Amino acid sequence: MSQVMIATDKLSKSFSSGGVQQHVLKNLDLEILSGDFTVIMGSSGAGKSTLMYALSGMDKPTLGSITYFDQEIAKLSNDKLAVFRRLNCGFVFQQMFLLDNMSILDNILAAGLLVSNDRKAITARAKELLAQVGLTELIWSKFPTQLSGGEAQRAAIVRALINQPKVVFADEPTGALNSASGKAVLDVLTDLNSRGQSIIMVTHDLKSARRGNRILYMRDGVIHGICNLGKYVSGDRERHGKLQAFLTEMGW
Amino acid sequence: MRKLAMLSFANIRKTKGHTVSLLLMFLIAGLLLNAGSLVFVNFGSFFEKVTKELKTTDVYYIMPSHLYNGEVDKYIRNNKNVSNMQKEEVIWAQASIPYNDDTREISFILNDADKERDFSKWKFVGEHLPPDSMSIYVPYLLNIDGGYKLNDKVKMKFDDAALTFTIKGFTEDAFFSSLDTINLGTYLPHETYEKVVQKLGDKYSATLIFADLDKVNNEVETGIRELVQPDQKATLSMVEDTRTLSSSDIELLRTSRTFMSSMASVMAMAFAFIIAIVCLIVVRFRIGNSIEEDMSKIGSLRAIGYTSRQIILSIVMQYMLIALVGSIAGISLSYLTTPILSDIFAHQSGLMWVQGFDGAISSIILSAILFVVIIVSFISSGRIRKLNPIVALRGGITTHNFRKNYLPLHKSIGSLPVVLGFKSMLQSRKHSFMIGVILAAVSFASTFGAVMFYNTVIDTQAFAKTPGIELSNAVAILNSDAEQPKLVDNIKNMKNVRKVQYIDESKVKIENYDVTAYVMEDFSTKETNTVFKGRYPLHSNEVVLAGILADKMDKKIGDRVMIKVGAKQAEYMITGLSQGANMGGMNASIRWDGILKVNPDFKQQSLQIYLNKNSKADEFVNKLESDYGDSIVTSVDMDKIMDDGMGMYISIVSKLGMGMMVITIVVVILVLYFVIISSVIRKKRELGIQKAIGFTTFQLMNQLSLGFLPPIIIGVLFGSAVGITLTNPLMSVAMRAMGIMKAQFVIATSWISLFGVALVVVSYCTSMLITYRIRKISAYALVSE
């Protein structure tokens, strides 16, 4: 039985734009289990990314609480949230957001050395992870701008994993990649999840969504529907149909 | 044009912080440059204006009336070099007066105010009151420096009489208005003058002659001296000599009365020049950065039809406007400082300098600043010409061109923020270099200021030694008929006396130059070493010449010169060059057995007395007077003379030094604000990413601040080292005109180091404060924008 990793209670997020209040998340009560590959889907403006960044401590909710295991994070200061993120979360962004002025290896170590002073151990782990995602030694010393999109995203995944986070947040990780690179990135994420890594991913892409075992569909700031697909197995046609039916039902 | 102005104003509005800091820098540069130029150009010419207005003659001579006989009168009137002369009977006496809660011994010339003068006139400064009984008009110096006001009583204590006057006005003349020019002139209404003459008798009657010379030299003075002391000149001590004939020419006066202002203005202008260069470096840096930041905006402008020339002109206009407003504000403010500067300089010059608006100087300063700003901004924004509009619209493709991964994290040691800070520094080498250069420039200026401050406030010994006067605590002029060896022994055995020795002065002629020679038995015991090249004389046929004198004579060490006193002359070899402002640098040093060769009757009279540390010279002089008053002509409290004489210089130079240090800190803060804010804006994305992966605001503040630290430290070290090395040579050049060939100010490395450390700490704290705005950069904004 999986443990509840993140739980929200009446989670709300509003923005004020030109004096008009916009309620992006509305009283969300949600539980995400440890070890799940949770996919958040929905149309544009549904609040997918807002929810994911609120859950990750990157943004603060307007109202409500977020409990991460036993820790309430919604009221933490910005610096405490930064420490929370470095210890518990890994991030994979659509635009990768690697530091252009650092080599690939340094990008990963910059995150790793925030948590551990054991330079040797962190370097060894970084190299091991890089090799695991198929990035050869040749590109470790290259700068992000010298890499292809797929390579850069895989490097970003390694950066997200370097501190052995309890959860990896991925925001449209294949959005900026061609299909081959996108598949390679999804394979890495699926493999990670199969080894117990919790993943929360926001996506528009059906192929990507299919990799998750639990699909949350958002509309107008609320969870409109949930679909449990079970563990991903390559070539599972039934899974694809089930997801498509769910999405059709949701009006996607 | 209107469109360009709109673009410029939009840029200014967008970068308010940068605009304000740059504006402040231009304000400081404009203020210092204009104030320095006003003083440099106008203070000297103000003195010229005063001399012209008052029809000041080239020279004056004053001597006791009984020495001014028909022969002297005839000599002056018939001298071909004398084109104009005017004679006047005056009272010439040494008197002490209360001066600023103290007492000062001053050589006064009391003139009859109602006597008409054709030349070397005097005038009132400010308001004056109608005279009543015992009224006096005194130099403006007594008001600004001496603390006297109108209707105040001033008590003059002469040797054997005391007179109390009421001050009814303050005056200005060219020759007698400053303590630096030997005699101070006062003017008495005729009735008062007559009363004073009656009271003092003939003892202080003197003849004052003003003369215009065709060729200004001391030939006439030498002629008068030979007439008034044909037999006595060999035996007269310097003190007696100055009471026999006193003279000065207008050139010497100009140097002495405007020296401080010239030096101060040169220092202010040099400093302002450094600040102006710093402004230009910052402008260049800012333009480079704004092109990178506004790349897409430039692309949009190009896309809608603006030409690169128009965009460049809008940038040039933007910086020109900032420079214009800042400089005009600075130049305007500088006019508020001129009354303050006038007051400061008046303590030394005795001149009430009134500076109105000087359109010519201010226009030149403003135009010069604008010209260089236009050139620098035009050149710096030139790269816009090469920008492809599409590339610019995409934000540029060559903005980040990293070639080398400095300090790879897996190999580097040290904490993460330190390594990342250094990494960032190495990647932004141009910026680091710029910060280093700016810090080096201002550290150099502040080191100079710190040296001046140290030497005028903390340890004044070197400053006091600058004029070249022996720093004894007291001087006793012994009666020539006193039993000297016994008297000297007695003085030597007085309480608190550490050492006594003779250092006399004697007028000699060296290769047609009238020179004051310092005479000693053994120069090795002299405590103020003024020889900057070679050595003091060890034998009777050796002489040391003042460097400025040797220059004039075109002589060097090893050359021989003829020294003459009266009809006797002998040849001496130059063994060294000395320095010292005393006697306008026209001095020499010769051994006692050396002077006897040309002046066999020379008698030592001037006994320098050195007291133990913490002894009081005034108490000692009183005791000396009471114990041996009959055997000495006079005694002088040298500590007080030095304190009085150096006070005003110390006050001016210390204020200048302090000002330079304060402005340095202000400029460093402004520059860092400018550079760091730019850096934070430029690195917004990078900082957002770092925040997302878990860096705290404090870690990022530290990372950025530490990245600036190495160029700051290197700049401060380099600037301070150059300051340490060059302060004395630069001061030597600045003071050469007054006879200082090799300045020997104490370079207090501990103080300079302390100030350097303070500068680094201030810089680091400023960086941390400025980078605190990183807290506003949110990781979420990065992904949501």
Side-chain angles (χ1 to χ4, degrees):
Chain A
M1 183 72 185
S2 291
Q3 199 184 355
V4 175
M5 181 175 64
I6 301 172
T8 68
D9 181 24
K10 296 189 171 43
L11 180 68
S12 301
K13 177 79 187 177
S14 308
F15 294 104
S16 177
S17 172
V20 179
Q21 282 284 323
Q22 209 181 340
H23 303 286
V24 183
L25 299 179
K26 298 168 188 168
N27 292 322
L28 286 185
D29 292 332
L30 175 70
E31 283 186 349
I32 291 173
L33 302 180
S34 180
D36 270 5
F37 190 146
T38 308
V39 174
I40 307 174
M41 293 189 80
S43 53
S44 284
K48 312 182 289 289
S49 293
T50 308
L51 173 63
M52 193 191 84
Y53 289 116
L55 297 179
S56 67
M58 190 97 97
D59 193 18
K60 288 183 181 181
T62 313
L63 282 171
S65 71
I66 304 166
T67 312
Y68 181 83
F69 290 106
D70 290 327
Q71 190 186 5
E72 162 66 53
I73 62 164
K75 304 271 185 310
L76 290 180
S77 68
N78 286 335
D79 277 350
K80 282 190 176 154
L81 278 177
V83 176
F84 164 77
R85 286 197 298 272
R86 80 166 74 134
L87 293 174
N88 299 290
C89 313
F91 291 92
V92 183
F93 305 98
Q94 181 180 353
Q95 299 96 326
M96 294 87 174
F97 290 136
L98 291 168
L99 295 162
D100 291 343
N101 59 339
M102 287 189 200
S103 69
I104 294 303
L105 185 58
D106 275 4
N107 259 284
I108 294 153
L109 293 183
L113 292 171
L114 265 179
V115 174
S116 165
N117 287 327
D118 189 344
R119 213 169 283 262
K120 266 189 185 171
I122 288 290
T123 308
R125 179 170 159 73
K127 289 179 178 175
E128 189 190 322
L129 286 170
L130 282 165
Q132 271 179 31
V133 297
L135 295 176
T136 59
E137 202 171 338
L138 275 174
I139 59 166
W140 296 353
S141 59
K142 287 192 174 169
F143 288 97
T145 48
Q146 296 168 315
L147 264 57
S148 71
E151 286 171 331
Q153 194 59 293
R154 278 182 279 161
I157 292 172
V158 172
R159 181 180 65 183
L161 296 174
I162 188 71
N163 291 326
Q164 294 169 292
K166 295 192 175 68
V167 55
V168 169
F169 293 91
D171 187 3
E172 303 273 14
T174 59
L177 306 177
N178 61 31
S179 57
S181 297
K183 185 182 177 299
V185 166
L186 288 172
D187 285 346
V188 170
L189 291 175
T190 310
D191 179 50
L192 283 170
N193 180 247
S194 70
R195 285 187 271 141
Q197 176 68 58
S198 308
I199 295 171
I200 299 175
M201 178 173 78
V202 167
T203 186
H204 273 106
D205 177 38
L206 204 61
K207 278 184 190 165
S208 300
R210 214 166 53 193
R211 303 291 181 118
N213 65 314
R214 191 172 179 230
I215 316 295
L216 308 178
Y217 191 86
M218 287 191 77
R219 184 190 287 168
D220 299 330
V222 295
I223 306 287
H224 195 58
I226 298 174
C227 172
N228 287 309
L229 293 177
K231 283 283 171 195
Y232 174 77
V233 181
S234 176
D236 184 353
R237 284 175 177 264
E238 197 183 321
R239 180 184 188 87
H240 183 71
K242 192 177 175 185
L243 175 62
Q244 218 155 21
F246 168 70
L247 290 175
T248 310
E249 191 191 330
M250 292 291 114
W252 195 61
Chain B
M1 193 65 187
R2 204 170 151 186
K3 280 176 209 159
L4 297 186
M6 269 169 56
L7 282 179
S8 303
F9 280 115
N11 282 340
I12 288 172
R13 268 198 301 275
K14 193 185 137 203
T15 53
K16 282 188 212 86
H18 285 134
T19 304
V20 171
S21 58
L22 195 55
L23 202 108
L24 283 174
M25 280 193 270
F26 277 113
L27 184 146
I28 294 172
L31 190 153
L32 289 175
L33 274 175
N34 200 55
S37 308
L38 286 175
V39 176
F40 187 71
V41 177
N42 290 351
F43 194 85
S45 64
F46 175 72
F47 182 72
E48 298 296 325
K49 207 178 120 194
V50 170
T51 55
K52 209 170 176 183
E53 179 191 343
L54 300 176
K55 294 189 174 171
T56 307
T57 53
D58 293 331
V59 289
Y60 82 84
Y61 309 108
I62 188 167
M63 66 198 84
S65 293
H66 66 90
L67 292 178
Y68 190 84
N69 51 32
E71 205 181 348
V72 176
D73 190 73
K74 199 174 151 192
Y75 169 77
I76 299 171
R77 284 183 195 284
N78 295 338
N79 194 302
K80 281 181 185 163
N81 198 21
V82 178
S83 53
N84 269 323
M85 85 161 270
Q86 181 177 277
K87 192 180 81 171
E88 195 173 311
E89 289 305 310
V90 295
I91 298 163
W92 184 32
Q94 197 82 15
S96 63
I97 59 162
Y99 196 95
N100 245 342
D101 304 326
D102 198 0
T103 306
R104 277 222 182 165
E105 188 88 7
I106 297 169
S107 173
F108 280 106
I109 296 175
L110 284 75
N111 301 271
D112 184 342
D114 295 322
K115 262 185 200 162
E116 273 294 309
R117 273 186 191 171
D118 294 327
F119 311 109
S120 297
K121 297 178 179 188
W122 60 278
K123 65 172 183 179
F124 284 112
V125 169
E127 188 196 1
H128 65 279
L129 304 171
D132 50 29
S133 71
M134 294 304 279
S135 300
I136 192 167
Y137 309 126
V138 295
Y140 172 62
L141 183 86
L142 264 64
N143 173 233
I144 187 84
D145 196 45
Y148 286 99
K149 290 186 281 299
L150 286 177
N151 271 332
D152 277 359
K153 301 275 183 204
V154 54
K155 189 174 182 182
M156 285 189 178
K157 276 189 188 171
F158 299 91
D159 260 0
D160 41 12
L163 296 168
T164 303
F165 299 97
T166 308
I167 296 174
K168 293 291 177 182
F170 295 101
T171 65
E172 192 166 272
D173 62 30
F175 283 123
F176 311 118
S177 296
S178 160
L179 287 172
D180 278 6
T181 49
I182 310 168
N183 299 305
L184 211 56
T186 62
Y187 298 87
L188 310 176
H190 183 68
E191 200 186 318
T192 309
Y193 182 80
E194 288 299 323
K195 274 187 207 166
V196 173
V197 168
Q198 267 184 6
K199 198 152 189 176
L200 294 178
D202 289 341
K203 189 177 172 187
Y204 302 114
S205 291
T207 304
L208 174 64
I209 299 122
F210 295 111
D212 275 325
L213 305 180
D214 287 338
K215 207 172 150 190
V216 181
N217 56 29
N218 56 12
E219 183 195 316
V220 179
E221 184 194 338
T222 309
I224 299 172
R225 202 175 289 284
E226 279 170 7
L227 288 170
V228 296
Q229 5 169 290
D231 307 317
Q232 305 168 43
K233 65 180 178 300
T235 54
L236 279 178
S237 74
M238 211 58 202
V239 171
E240 287 163 317
D241 184 65
T242 53
R243 303 307 303 167
T244 305
L245 175 67
S246 176
S247 162
S248 183
D249 67 57
I250 198 74
E251 280 306 318
L252 196 65
L253 232 79
R254 182 180 295 113
T255 312
S256 123
R257 293 184 73 171
T258 59
F259 166 73
M260 202 63 229
S261 60
S262 310
M263 201 171 98
S265 60
V266 168
M267 278 166 75
M269 279 165 65
F271 190 53
F273 191 66
I274 290 175
I275 305 289
I277 290 181
V278 168
C279 286
L280 294 177
I281 296 175
V282 169
V283 165
R284 198 186 171 287
F285 164 81
R286 179 64 205 140
I287 291 176
N289 261 12
S290 69
I291 291 173
E292 272 184 33
E293 286 163 20
D294 298 336
M295 192 67 82
S296 316
K297 201 188 94 188
I298 292 169
S300 312
L301 289 171
R302 293 288 301 276
I304 61 170
Y306 277 87
T307 63
S308 9
R309 192 169 156 269
Q310 283 174 313
I311 298 169
I312 289 170
L313 282 179
S314 75
I315 291 174
V316 172
M317 189 186 280
Q318 177 189 345
Y319 289 95
M320 197 192 74
L321 281 171
I322 297 170
L324 181 77
V325 175
S327 306
I328 287 180
I331 288 170
S332 307
L333 279 178
S334 74
Y335 283 99
L336 295 180
T337 66
T338 53
I340 302 165
L341 292 172
S342 174
D343 270 8
I344 293 172
F345 296 142
H347 290 265
Q348 186 246 338
S349 68
L351 291 169
M352 191 165 106
W353 174 49
V354 183
Q355 174 63 56
F357 176 70
D358 189 324
I361 288 180
S362 300
S363 307
I364 291 171
I365 298 290
L366 185 63
S367 311
I369 293 176
L370 291 183
F371 177 73
V372 285
V373 167
I374 289 170
I375 297 289
V376 168
S377 33
F378 193 77
I379 294 171
S380 309
S381 51
R383 62 182 271 213
I384 288 174
R385 264 191 220 104
K386 294 173 195 159
L387 272 181
N388 180 306
I390 298 163
V391 171
L393 267 172
R394 287 175 184 159
I397 50 167
T398 55
T399 50
H400 299 294
N401 186 15
F402 301 104
R403 292 197 189 100
K404 194 177 171 192
N405 185 32
Y406 294 97
L407 303 175
L409 292 179
H410 64 287
K411 285 181 186 162
S412 310
I413 46 165
S415 81
L416 188 60
V418 176
V419 180
L420 291 179
F422 287 2
K423 217 174 160 65
S424 158
M425 173 201 78
L426 291 168
Q427 279 163 344
S428 321
R429 284 191 305 280
K430 270 189 186 172
H431 291 173
S432 305
F433 182 72
M434 182 197 77
I435 293 175
V437 168
I438 290 175
L439 262 294
V442 289
S443 301
F444 163 69
S446 67
T447 300
F448 188 84
V451 170
M452 290 300 112
F453 185 78
Y454 183 87
N455 280 271
T456 49
V457 177
I458 312 299
D459 178 3
T460 55
Q461 275 286 308
F463 199 78
K465 282 178 182 175
T466 303
I469 298 167
E470 176 73 357
L471 293 184
S472 60
N473 304 98
V475 173
I477 309 294
L478 310 185
N479 266 331
S480 49
D481 52 358
E483 201 187 327
Q484 284 196 5
K486 194 178 169 198
L487 181 60
V488 170
D489 263 354
N490 288 342
I491 295 174
K492 203 174 181 176
N493 292 326
M494 281 176 78
K495 197 180 166 193
N496 286 329
V497 173
R498 175 168 61 86
K499 178 170 107 175
V500 296
Q501 65 183 352
Y502 284 113
I503 301 182
D504 285 272
E505 291 175 17
S506 176
K507 284 264 181 192
V508 297
K509 202 164 192 129
I510 306 178
E511 310 270 329
N512 286 329
Y513 283 92
D514 281 309
V515 170
T516 301
Y518 296 109
V519 181
M520 275 189 87
E521 282 176 59
D522 178 6
F523 279 96
S524 67
T525 58
K526 199 168 182 285
E527 299 206 347
T528 308
N529 182 2
T530 58
V531 172
F532 66 91
K533 202 171 178 187
R535 60 162 173 82
Y536 274 117
L538 291 174
H539 305 101
S540 63
N541 63 341
E542 293 176 346
V543 68
V544 158
L545 296 188
I548 197 165
L549 181 65
D551 277 356
K552 278 186 182 173
M553 290 179 183
D554 197 22
K555 296 281 183 195
K556 54 185 190 301
I557 294 173
D559 287 352
R560 291 176 182 276
V561 286
M562 290 302 289
I563 298 184
K564 204 175 155 189
V565 174
K568 276 188 176 292
Q569 63 174 31
E571 194 179 57
Y572 295 79
M573 189 175 78
I574 303 168
T575 59
L577 301 176
S578 69
Q579 58 181 348
N582 211 17
M583 313 292 165
M586 298 291 276
N587 54 57
S589 301
I590 191 165
R591 279 173 61 98
W592 178 60
D593 48 8
I595 195 84
L596 288 178
K597 286 161 74 175
V598 285
N599 186 357
D601 300 324
F602 181 83
K603 273 198 166 181
Q604 292 172 303
Q605 277 184 278
S606 178
L607 191 70
Q608 308 280 329
I609 303 162
Y610 303 81
L611 302 178
N612 290 327
K613 216 176 175 182
N614 300 327
S615 305
K616 291 190 171 164
D618 54 343
E619 286 173 9
F620 175 81
V621 167
N622 287 340
K623 175 92 175 121
L624 186 71
E625 293 272 5
S626 71
D627 289 359
Y628 305 106
D630 296 340
S631 310
I632 56 179
V633 179
T634 185
S635 55
V636 183
D637 175 353
M638 287 301 286
D639 284 357
K640 186 171 182 315
I641 295 246
M642 287 311 291
D643 284 349
D644 291 346
M646 301 310 288
M648 55 205 167
Y649 290 99
I650 283 175
S651 155
I652 295 171
V653 177
S654 63
K655 278 175 193 155
L656 260 168
M658 192 67 179
M660 286 169 92
M661 288 192 282
V662 170
I663 293 175
T664 297
I665 290 177
V666 172
V667 168
V668 165
I669 290 172
L670 285 174
V671 167
L672 286 177
Y673 173 80
F674 205 93
V675 174
I676 293 169
I677 288 286
S678 295
S679 193
V680 170
I681 293 170
R682 211 161 41 93
K683 293 184 174 178
K684 203 172 165 184
R685 179 180 175 274
E686 194 182 316
L687 294 168
I689 295 171
Q690 284 189 269
K691 272 203 165 180
I693 62 174
F695 280 79
T696 62
T697 300
F698 183 74
Q699 281 177 317
L700 295 174
M701 283 162 63
N702 235 335
Q703 177 188 315
L704 270 184
S705 303
L706 287 169
F708 289 117
L709 214 49
I712 288 172
I713 293 174
I714 292 169
V716 169
L717 279 176
F718 185 75
S720 304
V722 175
I724 286 170
T725 322
L726 288 186
T727 295
N728 271 327
L730 284 176
M731 286 307 283
S732 305
V733 174
M735 299 197 298
R736 202 177 172 85
M738 65 179 282
I740 312 300
M741 315 298 275
K742 193 176 176 187
Q744 287 169 328
F745 290 110
V746 178
I747 307 291
T749 38
S750 56
W751 272 69
I752 295 166
S753 314
L754 215 64
F755 188 71
V757 170
L759 211 55
V760 171
V761 171
V762 166
S763 303
Y764 183 72
C765 293
T766 308
S767 308
M768 288 298 277
L769 279 174
I770 300 168
T771 51
Y772 187 55
R773 68 183 278 159
I774 289 175
R775 75 190 187 285
K776 290 181 185 164
I777 298 175
S778 83
Y780 181 68
L782 179 80
V783 285
S784 59
E785 276 172 9

